[in-house]
Amino acid sequence: MIDSAQPTALYEQVAHELEKQIHSGTLRPGDRVPSVRRASEQHRVSVTTAVQAYLSLENRGLIEARPKSGFYVRVPRRLQFLEPKTSRPSKAATSVGVASLQSRLADASQMPGVVPFGAALPSPELLPVTKLNRMLASIARRSGARGLSYDMPSGAETLRREVARRSLDWGTNLTPDDFITTCGATEALALCLRAVTKPGDVVALESPTYFGVLHAVEAFGLKALEIPMHPRTGMDLDALELALKKHRIAVCLTVPNFNNPLGSLMPDEHKRRLVDLVTRRDVPLIEDDIYGDLHFGAERPRVAQSYDKSGLVMLCSSFSKTLAPGYRVGWVAPGRFYEKVKSLKLTSTMATATLPELAIAEFVANGGYDAHLRGIRRTYAEQIQRVSHAIEESFPPETTITRPSGGFVLWVGLPPNVSALKLHERALAEKISIAPGPMFSAKQQFGNFIRVSCGHPWSSAAERAIGVLSYLVKRMS
Amino acid sequence: MIDSAQPTALYEQVAHELEKQIHSGTLRPGDRVPSVRRASEQHRVSVTTAVQAYLSLENRGLIEARPKSGFYVRVPRRLQFLEPKTSRPSKAATSVGVASLQSRLADASQMPGVVPFGAALPSPELLPVTKLNRMLASIARRSGARGLSYDMPSGAETLRREVARRSLDWGTNLTPDDFITTCGATEALALCLRAVTKPGDVVALESPTYFGVLHAVEAFGLKALEIPMHPRTGMDLDALELALKKHRIAVCLTVPNFNNPLGSLMPDEHKRRLVDLVTRRDVPLIEDDIYGDLHFGAERPRVAQSYDKSGLVMLCSSFSKTLAPGYRVGWVAPGRFYEKVKSLKLTSTMATATLPELAIAEFVANGGYDAHLRGIRRTYAEQIQRVSHAIEESFPPETTITRPSGGFVLWVGLPPNVSALKLHERALAEKISIAPGPMFSAKQQFGNFIRVSCGHPWSSAAERAIGVLSYLVKRMS
């Protein structure tokens, strides 16, 4: 029997037991795993807990479900490549220059016939295209004048209510009045940055981080101070603490749940400490939770905002990674900066398009959003596994690769003398889009890293593309 | 017979002849005007020209169409109030502070039961609600994955093509590749400002001007240099020329076609000179043409951009005043700043919502956009007349009032000791929203002016509201 006094969740302990059996060879590849009912008896846990344990193992690629037959041990594809090391960004704040690379990546994402390892876009095949468009159609027909009218900030009440309802799952308890809807998380982040900075100010952010944030920092005339990142646990808080002492930092920006490109997950104790650190110095914290719903572990991770008692955390997200990038529906819960953000929204876009907001609200309320999320989480975890495996089979042995805890991107370290920017050029000539590492750093570090998006289903074209990439990498190394 | 060697358009001469007959009493109120065919024979012009002449008279409120019966002379409502004088803004560049007033006006526009003289919003009753929402619904059902996918800048090609086609009517000849779609004209203006300024820069703009522009100037840390405005012909170009000599101006911003709040129309020769002035000094010009399609005269006025040979003019507009504010579809033709604006769009909203763009494109292509525009132009001209008349009948005699050439707002000068800000407060307490004059000036001038929006159909509630306003004004003066 499992000791339920342990701090880790019960299902994790069950999963751990099964994992030991797999690794020890008690359960071999292809073996049928005990039924859920059987497992619940063996470990004296509820059926729900056993199911959670199995889903967790499935998400990690150790077992797989076969229709109407149960769970089986998968051929273990143990990654042999090392993970990248903790990043070592420059300790000085710097101006940024990633704009042109972002434009080129956006352009590549629109080119027909290009293998889409570049932009971090979910494949439309994984999105509820028909259902969502039908909901929008139905709302458009019913809405009358409402659909044509401005949804002045703070945005559609139905949507804010649905998001507030879901906030319980993130360990927090926001109300509809805490939210302002935005044109994607992009607008949310831009508004937050503008609300708490003036040009020349220093923004502490993760290294590597999403290039869109770096581009915004550049465009608003801010300086980036890059904080080292551990590939599994995210921001190095000792380094942040030091930086907060040494520099006059206007705002911190972090992606605790599945940093893009690392897929790291900041442990809860770190989140608490992070909020502590910024609270003590009264520095606002922008938390980007856009990947939070795409966890591979069984539980939805908390947001750092859940530890915030002083309204310093500005929580941002959108439905662009889970439902509909093209609907442009995001939101921000800007804490004590609510009025400022609401006012700035009038100068940015005035309002968010009404009907897409209402359609997203309807889908989240009645469209089976949770079932949909379960499905794409499994698919992304699997695609991450497949792409990792393909890279491992063909890339040079010095290659390093992340083990993401969520999201759908991989961060791949190539041999030191390979230029990711050159590889990006050559790959694009072969109709393969990848995101070169320097895009993810204000100082254009990570010269030998690439980000590989796994948002699209595995295919023979993807397989060939990995082959071509490995050929190019080997020729360059 | 009319002398066609005259420089004014033929139809204007026909209209002028008829106007003389009305003013001289040859045609009296209630008289039937000669049929279009008859007029074409009398004046030896084509039927088309005669129709143009009649529409022009109708738009100016001199004649009215009665269904299946023809045109009749209207009861002449000659305005007795004077027009406001040319504005006299401060000659120094100043920081701006209108944010909170804009927020309050936006809030008031959402309040149920408030008489909407405040925000310059078209009434949903005047918009093609059912048709447009049906088009969106149909496109949403047909679009599949396209509807859910990003429309990366520059935005939907179908929409850019339709706008480019229409640009011929504005005296210019832009191609689909000249445009970038935006989340309303708000985003277009913000992107243009950001593309050519850095904080602390001076923006030359009209006084009075739309408070949204002033709010953006404030939010981006810019300084406003206000140029005097003539209530009929718009920007005082002598004053602009002087300002361009004396100040280091980063960008000019102008609304040549129907400045909000004045409704002024810059004559073509002025537009040419304006472009000349900025070209000689290589100063970019942001042209906001959001009201351009709402002309009361028979012809669609040109854009100043049509005189631009060096790509300095950044032309902005949207469909928010003519079709659907809540769809958030606007555009910019940024001239030589195209790449910069496209790149900044990635930091602002990433993309414009796809389906609303496609629906607007469909309506403009196949929905009878021109017929719709003819209808709302007539309605707005009529509403402007009615509200003007009601104000004239009840406000104190020192009141001044504009004679707009297009758009749907009136700018009303109250007796000098009436505080528009206080009137705004007291009116809101009576559930009447108006826009106080200081919102339209960086220096919060126009303390005794109000803007009255005529975007909503005349009603007994509107009539009562004008009565209440006049009562409040008289008590305060």
Side-chain angles (χ1 to χ4, degrees):
Chain A
M1 188 195 167
I2 284 161
D3 178 6
S4 63
Q6 286 286 324
T8 37
L10 215 49
Y11 79 87
E12 283 177 8
Q13 298 172 45
V14 176
H16 184 67
E17 292 294 318
L18 275 161
E19 196 178 345
K20 278 201 291 187
Q21 291 177 23
I22 292 167
H23 289 317
S24 69
T26 309
L27 285 166
R28 290 176 174 277
D31 278 0
R32 191 169 186 281
V33 182
S35 72
V36 166
R37 185 162 302 279
R38 187 73 203 286
S40 94
E41 288 163 11
Q42 284 178 343
H43 299 285
R44 300 194 196 168
V45 295
S46 70
V47 169
T48 310
T49 303
V51 166
Q52 272 188 306
Y54 279 20
L55 289 178
S56 155
L57 289 170
E58 188 188 20
N59 281 340
R60 290 163 55 209
L62 289 167
I63 64 173
E64 63 192 349
R66 294 189 193 158
K68 298 188 185 163
S69 169
F71 286 93
Y72 290 79
V73 179
R74 279 184 64 164
V75 179
R77 291 175 169 169
R78 286 191 62 189
L79 295 172
Q80 291 143 13
F81 285 0
L82 292 177
E83 289 178 88
K85 294 195 185 126
T86 298
S87 63
R88 295 176 59 188
S90 152
K91 282 180 180 134
T94 40
S95 302
V96 180
V98 299
S100 62
L101 279 168
Q102 190 183 5
S103 274
R104 297 191 55 202
L105 205 66
D107 288 345
S109 79
Q110 307 276 76
M111 290 177 198
V114 167
V115 179
F117 289 140
L121 290 173
S123 163
E125 292 171 57
L126 304 178
L127 301 177
V129 170
T130 310
K131 197 167 185 178
L132 196 51
N133 281 341
R134 268 201 198 136
M135 281 179 163
L136 177 59
S138 157
I139 288 167
R141 278 176 194 278
R142 290 195 319 258
S143 70
R146 169 92 169 89
L148 262 68
S149 305
Y150 282 127
D151 226 342
M152 284 296 187
S154 51
E157 210 265 334
T158 50
L159 178 62
R160 289 183 286 115
R161 203 166 53 222
E162 290 308 323
V163 178
R165 234 174 240 168
R166 297 191 69 82
S167 76
L168 291 171
D169 297 341
W170 323 328
T172 185
N173 189 6
L174 295 161
T175 72
D177 292 342
D178 293 322
F179 292 93
I180 296 167
T181 66
T182 56
C183 187
T186 301
E187 191 187 24
L189 292 170
L191 294 176
C192 291
L193 278 174
R194 287 175 60 196
V196 296
T197 63
K198 53 183 193 314
D201 277 357
V202 174
V203 184
L205 40 73
E206 302 173 340
S207 179
T209 197
Y210 167 52
F211 46 81
V213 161
L214 294 172
H215 188 178
V217 163
E218 174 190 358
F220 293 122
L222 305 170
K223 282 181 179 154
L225 181 70
E226 303 189 275
I227 307 296
M229 288 288 282
H230 184 276
R232 291 250 181 150
T233 58
M235 196 184 264
D236 177 338
L237 296 182
D238 292 335
L240 177 69
E241 188 167 13
L242 205 65
L244 284 164
K245 271 184 201 147
K246 281 181 67 178
H247 297 265
R248 199 188 165 85
I249 290 171
V251 59
C252 291
L253 198 153
T254 171
V255 190
N257 298 330
F258 321 125
N259 158 289
N260 167 7
L262 290 176
S264 53
L265 172 58
M266 188 184 273
D268 284 351
E269 318 87 75
H270 290 214
K271 285 173 181 158
R272 188 196 298 273
R273 183 176 164 211
L274 169 66
V275 174
D276 262 12
L277 284 175
V278 295
T279 305
R280 258 184 279 141
R281 298 195 167 255
D282 207 37
V283 171
L285 178 72
I286 302 173
E287 178 176 19
D288 176 358
D289 194 47
I290 195 169
Y291 291 100
D293 278 341
L294 299 179
H295 48 99
F296 300 156
E299 270 183 73
R300 210 290 184 191
R302 304 174 72 111
V303 290
Q305 188 276 342
S306 66
Y307 296 105
D308 181 28
K309 289 189 182 73
S310 52
L312 271 175
V313 179
M314 313 167 84
L315 183 63
C316 303
S317 190
S318 84
F319 295 93
S320 298
K321 303 297 180 193
T322 53
L323 283 181
Y327 277 35
R328 310 307 302 123
V329 176
W331 51 261
V332 51
R336 68 161 87 149
F337 308 100
Y338 180 91
E339 286 302 330
K340 179 77 183 167
V341 167
K342 186 178 166 199
S343 166
L344 284 175
K345 162 114 184 143
L346 294 174
T347 71
S348 159
T349 57
M350 182 84 77
T352 302
T354 308
L355 290 169
E357 276 187 345
L358 298 180
I360 295 275
E362 172 74 9
F363 189 94
V364 173
N366 305 313
Y369 186 50
D370 284 304
H372 164 69
L373 284 179
R374 276 197 296 277
I376 55 171
R377 281 202 296 267
R378 245 197 317 268
T379 309
Y380 286 144
E382 200 174 290
Q383 285 170 203
I384 287 274
Q385 286 276 330
R386 284 196 167 158
V387 177
S388 300
H389 189 65
I391 288 174
E392 207 180 40
E393 280 189 334
S394 58
F395 276 45
E398 316 91 285
T399 305
T400 57
I401 191 164
T402 46
R403 321 274 194 265
S405 310
F408 51 83
V409 299
L410 282 168
W411 183 240
V412 180
L414 305 172
N417 50 337
V418 176
S419 156
L421 289 170
K422 276 190 196 146
L423 178 64
H424 166 247
E425 291 301 325
R426 292 183 193 170
L428 206 52
E430 306 289 335
K431 297 212 155 210
I432 303 164
S433 171
I434 52 169
M439 293 184 73
F440 299 84
S441 151
K443 277 233 193 281
Q444 312 227 351
Q445 292 186 305
F446 308 112
N448 62 323
F449 277 79
I450 58 172
R451 188 193 68 182
V452 179
S453 168
C454 308
H456 284 253
W458 186 244
S459 63
S460 54
E463 196 165 5
R464 267 197 310 277
I466 295 288
V468 172
L469 286 175
S470 78
Y471 169 78
L472 294 173
V473 167
K474 281 173 188 161
R475 274 213 337 193
M476 292 166 76
S477 55
Chain B
M1 185 196 168
I2 283 164
D3 178 7
S4 63
Q6 286 286 325
T8 36
L10 214 49
Y11 80 88
E12 283 179 7
Q13 298 173 45
V14 176
H16 185 65
E17 292 294 317
L18 275 161
E19 196 177 346
K20 278 201 291 188
Q21 292 177 23
I22 293 168
H23 289 316
S24 67
T26 310
L27 286 168
R28 288 177 175 277
D31 278 0
R32 191 169 186 282
V33 182
S35 74
V36 166
R37 184 163 302 279
R38 186 75 203 287
S40 96
E41 287 162 10
Q42 285 177 340
H43 299 284
R44 301 196 195 166
V45 294
S46 70
V47 169
T48 310
T49 302
V51 168
Q52 270 190 306
Y54 279 21
L55 289 179
S56 154
L57 290 170
E58 187 188 22
N59 282 340
R60 288 162 55 209
L62 289 166
I63 63 173
E64 63 191 349
R66 295 190 192 157
K68 297 188 186 165
S69 167
F71 286 93
Y72 291 78
V73 179
R74 281 186 61 164
V75 179
R77 291 177 170 166
R78 287 190 61 187
L79 295 171
Q80 292 144 13
F81 283 0
L82 293 177
E83 289 178 89
K85 294 196 184 127
T86 297
S87 63
R88 294 175 59 186
S90 152
K91 283 182 179 130
T94 40
S95 302
V96 179
V98 298
S100 62
L101 279 168
Q102 189 183 8
S103 274
R104 296 192 55 199
L105 205 66
D107 289 344
S109 79
Q110 309 276 76
M111 289 176 198
V114 166
V115 180
F117 290 140
L121 289 174
S123 162
E125 292 171 57
L126 305 178
L127 301 178
V129 170
T130 310
K131 197 167 186 179
L132 196 52
N133 281 341
R134 268 200 199 136
M135 279 180 164
L136 178 60
S138 156
I139 287 168
R141 278 175 194 280
R142 289 195 319 259
S143 70
R146 170 94 170 84
L148 262 68
S149 305
Y150 281 129
D151 228 342
M152 283 297 186
S154 50
E157 211 266 333
T158 50
L159 178 63
R160 290 183 285 116
R161 203 166 54 223
E162 290 309 321
V163 178
R165 234 175 237 166
R166 298 192 69 82
S167 75
L168 291 169
D169 297 341
W170 322 329
T172 186
N173 187 7
L174 294 161
T175 71
D177 292 343
D178 292 322
F179 291 93
I180 296 166
T181 66
T182 56
C183 188
T186 301
E187 190 188 22
L189 292 171
L191 294 177
C192 290
L193 279 174
R194 288 175 60 195
V196 296
T197 63
K198 53 184 192 316
D201 278 356
V202 174
V203 184
L205 40 75
E206 301 172 341
S207 178
T209 197
Y210 166 53
F211 48 79
V213 161
L214 294 172
H215 188 178
V217 163
E218 173 190 359
F220 293 122
L222 305 170
K223 281 181 179 152
L225 182 71
E226 303 188 274
I227 307 296
M229 289 287 285
H230 184 276
R232 291 250 181 149
T233 57
M235 195 183 262
D236 178 338
L237 296 183
D238 292 337
L240 177 68
E241 188 168 12
L242 205 65
L244 283 166
K245 271 185 200 144
K246 281 181 66 179
H247 296 266
R248 199 189 165 84
I249 290 172
V251 61
C252 290
L253 199 154
T254 172
V255 190
N257 299 330
F258 321 125
N259 157 289
N260 167 7
L262 289 176
S264 52
L265 173 59
M266 188 184 273
D268 284 351
E269 320 86 77
H270 289 213
K271 286 174 182 159
R272 188 197 298 274
R273 184 178 163 210
L274 169 65
V275 173
D276 262 14
L277 285 174
V278 294
T279 305
R280 259 185 277 140
R281 300 195 168 255
D282 208 38
V283 171
L285 178 73
I286 301 173
E287 178 176 19
D288 176 358
D289 194 47
I290 195 168
Y291 291 100
D293 279 341
L294 299 178
H295 48 99
F296 300 157
E299 270 183 73
R300 209 290 184 191
R302 304 175 71 111
V303 289
Q305 187 276 340
S306 66
Y307 297 105
D308 181 27
K309 289 187 183 73
S310 52
L312 271 174
V313 180
M314 313 166 84
L315 183 64
C316 303
S317 189
S318 84
F319 295 92
S320 298
K321 302 298 179 192
T322 54
L323 283 181
Y327 276 37
R328 309 308 301 122
V329 176
W331 52 261
V332 51
R336 68 162 86 150
F337 308 100
Y338 180 91
E339 285 302 329
K340 180 77 183 166
V341 167
K342 186 178 165 198
S343 165
L344 284 174
K345 163 114 183 140
L346 293 174
T347 70
S348 160
T349 57
M350 183 82 78
T352 302
T354 307
L355 291 169
E357 277 188 344
L358 299 180
I360 295 275
E362 173 75 10
F363 189 94
V364 173
N366 306 312
Y369 186 50
D370 283 304
H372 163 68
L373 284 179
R374 275 195 298 277
I376 54 171
R377 279 201 298 266
R378 244 196 321 268
T379 309
Y380 286 144
E382 201 174 289
Q383 285 170 205
I384 287 274
Q385 287 275 332
R386 285 199 166 155
V387 178
S388 299
H389 189 65
I391 288 175
E392 207 178 41
E393 281 188 335
S394 58
F395 276 45
E398 318 91 285
T399 305
T400 57
I401 191 164
T402 45
R403 321 275 194 263
S405 310
F408 52 84
V409 300
L410 283 168
W411 183 240
V412 180
L414 306 171
N417 50 337
V418 176
S419 156
L421 289 169
K422 276 190 198 145
L423 178 63
H424 166 246
E425 291 302 324
R426 292 183 192 171
L428 206 53
E430 304 292 335
K431 296 212 157 210
I432 304 165
S433 171
I434 52 168
M439 293 184 73
F440 298 85
S441 151
K443 277 233 193 280
Q444 310 226 353
Q445 292 187 306
F446 308 111
N448 62 323
F449 278 79
I450 57 171
R451 188 192 68 181
V452 179
S453 169
C454 308
H456 284 252
W458 186 245
S459 63
S460 54
E463 196 165 4
R464 267 196 311 276
I466 294 288
V468 173
L469 285 175
S470 79
Y471 170 79
L472 294 173
V473 167
K474 281 172 188 160
R475 274 214 337 195
M476 293 166 77
S477 54

